[in-house]
Amino acid sequence: MYEDVSDTAVRLFLEKGFDAVSVAEVAAEAGISKPTLFRYFPAKEDLVLYRIADHEDEAARIVAGQAEPVAALRRNFLAGLERFDPVTGLCEVPEVLAFHSLLYGTPSLVVRAYGHMERSEEALARALGGTLDARLAAGQIIAVQRILALDNWRRIAGGERAADVRESAVRAAERAFGVLEGAVRGLLGEEGEDGEDGEG
């Protein structure tokens, strides 16, 4: 049900524009009542963000039980680049490009997406220990992944082929995660052993 309603909404938003489509129109097109739709999706923006909601705790899942969390995330990101995973931004499938254009081109969706990233950061911080240092590390990790993916998407949206971008995208990811690994190890390996708030 969630996926069907979200797909219907995204199709309408892509056809007419996010602001031009009402929740009532989405509900009618999906064959449900407006109150029922709001039970599934409390806000109009959630109809779009549902597509990426299952990635919220992805970073936390990847680092769970890992002695070298950044290395695990690096391997995952590079594997995503290899298979042109939309999460890495390196995807030229027209439907994916259109979805990203909708997401990044609609101010209210951008604001809502930041909430998604904050929850990703919070989940990752908990997986890293929940201290202040863990929160600092999580913030850096999520930011690096977001910026790498956004840069890839912008290049693809600008007309470059994913296959042509991949080599430089891999180099950028290797460089960024290499720098990140040292920073996170400094936070979690030594200073991260302080009190619960990372102070003292």
Side-chain angles (χ1 to χ4, degrees), residues 110-127:
V110 171
V111 171
R112 198 77 169 191
Y114 271 103
H116 161 81
M117 284 183 286
E118 286 176 352
R119 290 188 294 275
S120 297
E121 189 177 306
E122 290 165 3
L124 178 56
R126 287 193 298 272

Side-chain angles (χ1 to χ4, degrees), residues 77-161:
F77 195 87
L78 291 175
L81 291 175
E82 182 67 26
R83 63 178 182 269
F84 299 107
D85 192 322
V87 173
T88 67
L90 193 67
C91 182
E92 59 189 10
V93 175
E95 292 80 6
V96 173
L97 287 173
F99 175 79
H100 284 157
S101 295
L102 172 68
L103 179 61
Y104 296 130
T106 307
S108 63
L109 290 175
V110 171
V111 171
R112 198 77 169 191
Y114 271 103
H116 161 81
M117 284 183 286
E118 286 176 352
R119 290 188 294 275
S120 297
E121 189 177 306
E122 290 165 3
L124 178 56
R126 287 193 298 272
L128 294 174
T131 64
L132 173 59
D133 287 341
R135 296 197 297 274
L136 290 169
Q140 293 178 58
I141 291 167
I142 296 300
V144 163
Q145 293 188 146
R146 177 184 65 83
I147 292 168
L148 287 171
L150 189 58
D151 186 66
N152 292 336
W153 171 75
R154 284 175 173 159
R155 292 181 65 181
I156 302 300
E160 294 185 64
R161 297 293 307 275

Side-chain angles (χ1 to χ4, degrees), residues 165-187:
V165 173
R166 183 164 60 182
E167 185 177 342
S168 60
V170 168
R171 287 198 305 269
E174 292 275 21
R175 184 172 64 253
F177 278 99
V179 173
L180 189 59
E181 197 159 13
V184 171
R185 187 179 295 116
L187 286 167

